[in-house]
Amino acid sequence: MDPFNAIVIAVFLPFILAWTLPVLYSVFKQRIGWIAAGIAFTCFVLNAQVIPYAMAGTPVQGSWVWLPTAGLSFDIYGDGMAALLALIVSGVGVIIMSYSNGYMSTKEDLPRYYQWLLLFMGAMLGIAYTDNTIQMFIFWELTSITSFMLIGYWRERPESVYGATKAFLITAGGGLLMFAGFLMLRVVTGTYGISEVAQSQELLATLHGSEFYVAVLILVFLGAASKSAQGPFYIWLPNAMEAPTPVSAFLHSATMVKAGVYLVARMHPILSGTPEWLILVSGTGMITMVMAGFMAFRQTDIKAILAYSTISQLAYLMTMYGYSTAEHPGLGFAAATFHLLNHSTFKATLFLVAGIVAHEATTRDIRKLGGLRKEMPKTFIVAVIAAASMAGVPPLNGFLSKEMFYETSVEIGHLVGGPWVYIFPVVAVAGGVFTLMYSIRLIDGIFLGERTHDPDVPHHVHEAPWVMLAPAVFLVGLIIFFGLYPKFPIDYLIQPAYSGLVPHAETLHIKHWHGFTLPFIMTVVTFVTGILLYKFYDTLAAMQNSFNAKLPWISVNYWYDAIVNNAKGICKKFANVTQPGPLGGYIKIVQLFMIFLVAWPLYYLGVGAASILPAGMNFASEPYEIVLYALIIVSALGAAIIPRYLPAVLSLSAVGFLVSLLYMYLKAPDLAMTQVCVETLSTIIFILVIIKIPQKFKEPMPAGKVMVNLLISGAVAFSVFAIMVNAGIGIIAPFESLSHYFMEYSLQLTGGLNVVNVIVVDFRGYDTIGEISVLSLAALGVYNLILSRADSGSAAEGGEEE
Amino acid sequence: MNNVMLSLTISLLFGIGTFLILRREMMKVIIGFGIVSHAINLYIVASGAFSNGTLVPILEHHQAVVGLGQGLIVADDVAAGVIGPITSEPYLEFADPLVQALVLTAIVIGLATTAFILTLAYRIYEEYGTTDVQELRRLWG
């Protein structure tokens, strides 16, 4: 298949087929999980088509015309990096959707679950292959929305809603910052294209010389950091663990959180190579890596430990992508890309194990668990291998990329010089030590030690069913395979990924044994320190807890909650100030202001009270016109004075029909016709409503209040009158009317003779679309108001629209 | 300059509508709203009808065949209080089509809002059992 078509199908297949799931559900019932997995597998096969092109160094490119007037097209760019992310997304997708068949109860709303999973997968594939910033932004926010829906899958739980809202506010907000960065990038380079900028030396020079460079870098990085839960934005990820565990494994460890890292990698050729890049990306990464690893100690929920571990591991990736100097722009790129793949394998496995444990032992609290190795031997082995890979135990794949992390940390230290020769490696080792400690904790807390007898844990815990175990075993197979034969993933996935983006990246020289080099010594130090410090694990956790209890404001969550909760309160206070009382008050203010708007210019223009009515007024009116005017006024007065509803409404309707007659006289036949139709309809609606509302309320009319109201109304009437008779004598500055344009071009451009009609449907067609939207919204509003009745017994009314 | 009698009619409609809107009874407020909408629409349309002799803005074929910018004359005569009547060669004056198109939209939207307000009034009466605007405010807190 043509690779461009393969990519397009892979991106859009999940979007299209997601909508068929509810239909398929009525046929296949709970087996639709396998159908969803099949769709993911199809995407996986389609994505694999890109690999030969990526290996040959000829990325798959193509575009569709989208919005040519805005300089936008639908651009596809399938290089090695895109293929790597796409394969991870669709591959983990197959595993997760198969696993979900065992995890999700058949009583759940399965179509909704798989629908959102598929939509998410499509959006991620879109991010992988996109080649312009606008398209990137759209798919980016789509992943935020789908993630929101999946975290909040159990809608009735307040924690789910809280977690979903938090994740959405942070990731979508970060996406908006990124969008601002993209727009700045467009201003500087004049294009929305990504590879176009990356491959043009000229544009790159312009960008790096531009004063917007730092702003673009910061904004784009904020988008990436919020998505990948880096820096202060980490707070959403632990709360996102309220999602079903397969969702956490898929979105919040293996794929969606990688989108931020992927963006950094994608923007690497454009923005890297500067000290700003190193400080921002690596700096944020290193701080997050150490802090998140340390904070993991305090967690008692298995998934929360994994969440902090994910934050810390993503920070590894950020740190390595950030390793970049002017001479060696892609120093850490290859190592980071390899670790990105490895992290997906071991972290997804650990999440699957967490899901199995929670499913079988009915709790995820690590304090209540323990000694499960005898009852769940297979799960135990799977978990040990995955955790060992995360901790960097040779010869697994995690060990290889961790070695490379240490190696590149030493190198960047030497390139930067000064005290940094030590700081980079020391921080890297600290990250490694913490990783090792919580990895031991996971295994120790769940599987080792004495079997606990907590009331929440069943007496006999079963081994997981094969549906849930098989995906995990498959991933563990990959962990071992990548560890023993690193040449395979390197040649087919990693090398095409980095050589496409960073041509001069350090080539990977992976070996299990390099000799007694500095990275080897660092690994030994990591293991020794980690195992020694593990004795103090609980002490450290208790210290963190007491520290947080003493200083609650130290936590980022404290500030998030303060801002979000106060926002509601402030809005309420604001509304109470601006809308304190009955409607009449606001109307009076509006009308007094209107009188002022008329009086002020009249006074200023020197019209003065004496000459407010201009000389030589045009009183000429035919007798039939006078009759028409008089009838209108009499009917309006009737509507105002008659107390009973029905005659008042009929008077109003008389005003409407007389006004349509007046439109005839004012040379507006279209208006007259419309007015007749509208008046008929609104009279019907009026009458339908007054049938339902008995006239009980007798409004007291104290003379004083009536006088005040009469005064205001009189002033309003006089203002309008003054404006009308003075129109054209200096109040309005002379201007050329637009209307002759329509008169002249109506027939030439549209072939219409009735100019009013032509304006409505043609020249100002967009206004008419707006008008139709208003009508639809009003109709929806009416419908919902009727629907909102508590007692649906009484007859419906008022739904009539055009 | 507008015809005084027409201006008087429109401004009186404004005044009557305003008085109704200031009342406390909900249904009367809605009726007032309808009257004020009529007044506003008329006001705008009246600004585009220049004298008793103007024609409706519907062209005949022969009037439109003249070349662009030649057949129709714009007579912005500010001194005479006339802004933009459009005339064609044999001294035919057309009413302004633009204001009519604007008001056409406004009338239809007016219907939508009227229907919405009426339904709202009906629901408010159902929920609170009153049509007194001040009482409602008290009930609402």
Side-chain angles (χ1 to χ4, degrees), chain A residues 747-758:
Chain A
L747 194 67
Q748 274 87 354
L749 292 182
T750 70
L753 288 170
N754 183 336
V755 184
V756 176
N757 284 1
V758 165

Side-chain angles (χ1 to χ4, degrees), chain A residues 30-359:
Chain A
Q30 68 273 18
R31 286 189 295 276
I32 55 164
W34 295 108
I35 295 174
I39 296 169
F41 185 71
T42 315
C43 291
F44 184 82
V45 173
L46 289 168
N47 288 325
Q49 315 251 331
V50 183
I51 291 293
Y53 295 87
M55 285 175 73
T58 50
V60 182
Q61 274 174 291
S63 27
W64 278 347
V65 177
W66 180 19
L67 282 175
T69 44
L72 273 180
S73 46
F74 181 81
D75 297 320
I76 291 289
Y77 188 80
D79 62 355
M81 194 70 206
L84 175 68
L85 183 70
L87 284 174
I88 291 177
V89 168
S90 48
V92 178
V94 176
I95 289 164
I96 293 302
M97 288 185 215
S98 314
Y99 176 87
S100 298
N101 285 305
Y103 184 85
M104 295 302 279
S105 151
T106 48
K107 292 187 204 85
E108 299 276 1
D109 186 0
L110 292 176
R112 179 160 62 94
Y113 175 77
Y114 289 110
Q115 244 174 348
W116 286 111
L117 276 183
L118 283 179
L119 289 176
F120 164 76
M121 194 178 79
M124 275 308 290
L125 294 177
I127 289 183
Y129 289 116
T130 186
D131 194 28
N132 78 54
T133 48
I134 301 295
Q135 202 178 320
M136 172 75 91
F137 172 71
I138 291 171
F139 283 119
W140 186 274
E141 296 295 42
L142 266 178
T143 62
S144 295
I145 294 167
T146 46
S147 152
F148 171 79
M149 297 306 289
L150 284 166
I151 297 171
Y153 175 74
W154 285 310
R155 309 169 169 158
E156 64 282 0
R157 296 188 191 170
E159 303 86 23
S160 296
V161 175
Y162 175 78
T165 313
K166 198 182 209 177
F168 186 75
L169 284 178
I170 292 175
T171 58
L176 288 177
L177 293 177
M178 175 190 85
F179 186 56
F182 285 165
L183 290 182
M184 274 191 194
L185 192 63
R186 150 91 188 182
V187 169
V188 176
T189 61
T191 171
Y192 289 119
I194 296 174
S195 61
E196 192 184 337
V197 177
Q199 286 161 5
S200 155
Q201 289 305 322
E202 197 187 329
L203 286 180
L204 285 179
T206 320
L207 176 64
H208 283 258
S210 154
E211 56 200 347
F212 286 118
Y213 167 75
V214 177
V216 170
L217 174 62
I218 290 175
L219 288 170
V220 170
F221 181 71
L222 283 177
S226 66
K227 200 75 163 176
S228 287
Q230 297 297 294
F233 301 117
Y234 81 89
I235 54 169
W236 70 265
L237 195 59
N239 288 101
M241 293 301 137
E242 292 301 331
T245 303
V247 171
S248 308
F250 191 21
L251 273 71
H252 307 122
S253 78
T255 60
M256 188 182 91
V257 287
K258 297 270 169 41
V261 177
Y262 178 78
L263 180 72
V264 168
R266 187 51 73 192
M267 291 317 224
H268 196 284
I270 299 177
L271 295 170
S272 74
T274 59
E276 291 92 341
W277 173 275
L278 176 66
I279 293 167
L280 193 63
V281 181
S282 289
T284 312
M286 286 164 78
I287 294 169
T288 313
M289 172 173 74
V290 176
M291 288 307 292
F294 188 59
M295 284 191 283
F297 296 175
R298 195 157 74 88
Q299 308 306 319
T300 52
D301 181 349
I302 310 173
K303 277 178 80 179
I305 299 177
L306 290 176
Y308 279 94
S309 147
T310 305
I311 298 166
S312 172
Q313 294 285 322
L314 290 168
Y316 274 45
L317 300 176
M318 281 291 180
T319 311
M320 284 191 269
Y321 279 120
Y323 286 168
S324 170
T325 62
E327 297 80 39
H328 300 274
L331 187 67
F333 200 99
T337 311
F338 190 38
H339 195 63
L340 185 130
L341 174 68
N342 295 338
H343 175 248
S344 292
T345 56
F346 62 68
K347 190 52 64 63
T349 313
L350 286 172
F351 267 105
L352 297 188
V353 168
I356 289 173
V357 170
H359 199 260

Side-chain angles (χ1 to χ4, degrees), chain A residues 20 45 144 202 231 252 293 304 315 347 394 441 457 470 504 509 513 529 586 594 604 645 651 659 678 729 781 786:
Chain A
T20 63
V45 173
S144 295
E202 197 187 329
H252 307 122
K347 190 52 64 63
R441 178 59 159 197
V457 184
H504 310 296
H509 29 84
W513 177 244
T529 326
Y586 316 141
M594 176 182 150
Y604 238 73
Y645 287 159
S651 292
V659 163
V678 163
I729 54 163
I786 299 291

Side-chain angles (χ1 to χ4, degrees), chain B residues 23-85:
Chain B
R23 289 188 57 170
R24 275 171 60 186
E25 189 170 348
M26 207 160 45
M27 288 307 292
K28 296 288 182 183
V29 172
I30 299 175
I31 292 175
F33 169 81
I35 292 179
V36 169
S37 325
H38 285 316
I40 293 170
N41 290 343
L42 277 174
Y43 182 115
I44 297 173
V45 174
S47 72
F50 301 100
S51 65
N52 290 348
T54 48
L55 294 177
V56 297
I58 297 177
L59 300 165
E60 305 276 329
H61 267 285
H62 70 270
Q63 287 164 334
V65 268
V66 286
L68 291 181
Q70 291 167 9
L72 301 158
I73 299 163
V74 190
D76 281 359
D77 190 351
V78 176
V82 179
I83 297 171

